[in-house]
Amino acid sequence: QVQLVESGGGLVQAGDSLRLSCAASGRTFSGYAMGWFRQAPGKEREFVAAIGWTFAYTYYANSVKGRFTISRDTAMSTVYLQMNSLKPEDTAVYYCAANRFGTVQATAPSIYDYWGQGTQVTVSS
């Protein structure tokens, strides 16, 4: 079955960087869009960034544009989220997800078919 396994979270200070990884397995993801979402305590899950598996088109939430970069390595079947200039408001559980429609501009969590378990990112001030 499909598995998305996130790693790379942790506790950092404001201004630091982290790189999250999402190892994808269980099927071919050709034509899919791979996304990162996050959820802070008491808040709804929100879209962060997405990338097309085949053509690598990208799309970002305004709140992370210019600070975060999404990429993928199809040979390694892994998606990355490079997070720079982290802020305390970036603190959340970060989830990797996959949507079979390949729509990188789809920001609603309901569009996504598969989800990982999440990795905690905590940014202290």
Side-chain angles (χ1 to χ4, degrees), residues 46-100:
E46 66 170 356
F47 172 82
V48 175
I51 187 167
W53 188 265
T54 304
F55 294 109
Y57 298 131
T58 59
Y59 187 69
Y60 295 91
N62 287 335
S63 58
V64 306
K65 201 174 294 183
R67 299 189 298 125
F68 291 10
T69 302
I70 189 171
S71 62
R72 89 280 187 263
D73 183 334
T74 55
M76 296 295 292
S77 199
T78 301
V79 181
Y80 303 99
L81 185 68
Q82 177 67 43
M83 305 185 295
N84 298 330
S85 302
L86 282 161
K87 305 175 182 180
E89 51 263 44
D90 294 318
T91 295
V93 177
Y94 283 70
Y95 297 92
C96 177
N99 98 53
R100 68 187 184 275

Side-chain angles (χ1 to χ4, degrees), residues 20-66:
L20 305 183
S21 299
C22 171
S25 63
R27 65 159 299 125
T28 176
F29 290 94
S30 177
Y32 273 60
M34 307 298 289
W36 286 96
F37 288 75
R38 65 187 182 186
Q39 189 166 19
K43 294 189 176 181
E44 294 188 351
R45 192 167 297 190
E46 66 170 356
F47 172 82
V48 175
I51 187 167
W53 188 265
T54 304
F55 294 109
Y57 298 131
T58 59
Y59 187 69
Y60 295 91
N62 287 335
S63 58
V64 306
K65 201 174 294 183

Side-chain angles (χ1 to χ4, degrees), residues 3-7 21-25 96 116-117:
Q3 279 195 311
L4 303 176
V5 180
E6 302 96 336
S7 61
S21 299
C22 171
S25 63
C96 177
Q117 293 299 307

